[in-house]
Amino acid sequence: QVQLVELGGGTVLAGESLTLRCTGSGRTFSTYTMGWFRQAPGEEREFVAAIGRSDNNKFYSNSVRGRFTISRDNAVNTVYLEMNTLRPQDTAVYYCAATTRSLIQSSSRDPGSYDFWGQGTQVAVSS
């Protein structure tokens, strides 16, 4: 079992950048596929990005591709989400998630594919 904690949320102006990080407990962090999801008030939780164990297998939603970058550093049990050119519609609570399974592109977008979730961190983008 892994426990996840998200850090780095805050309030920024449109066009600015922000980097989130998610730190996991335990000695088996490197065995997990990791994902980022977000949820705005009144909306369903939606997929943002995912990364495999190798750090070379990455997936992005169409709304963030080219603006966001997911990465990981297994030496410090951390996955990152670098967010550039932020828009007001990026405002949401952002969650990290983990699974022991290796995921293809389609399954990585499904919240049901993940077994463990962090508590979330708020990101607000003002126009």
Side-chain angles (χ1 to χ4, degrees), residues 36-124:
W36 283 100
F37 291 77
R38 65 188 183 186
Q39 188 167 20
E43 303 290 335
E44 295 183 347
R45 187 167 300 185
E46 68 173 359
F47 171 77
V48 177
I51 185 170
R53 296 162 56 186
S54 69
D55 195 27
N56 294 319
N57 190 17
K58 302 177 181 180
F59 306 114
Y60 296 96
S61 70
N62 291 333
S63 63
V64 308
R65 186 177 294 108
R67 297 189 299 122
F68 292 10
T69 301
I70 188 171
S71 61
R72 68 191 299 164
D73 185 351
N74 291 334
V76 292
N77 282 16
T78 301
V79 62
Y80 305 90
L81 185 67
E82 180 185 350
M83 305 182 292
N84 299 312
T85 318
L86 283 162
R87 305 165 179 168
Q89 52 264 48
D90 294 319
T91 296
V93 176
Y94 283 70
Y95 300 89
C96 65
T99 177
T100 58
R101 297 183 294 275
S102 296
L103 302 178
I104 60 176
Q105 184 174 14
S106 58
S107 58
S108 73
R109 298 174 176 269
D110 183 4
S113 297
Y114 298 83
D115 304 304
F116 307 102
W117 295 82
Q119 83 290 344
T121 186
Q122 176 71 243
V123 173

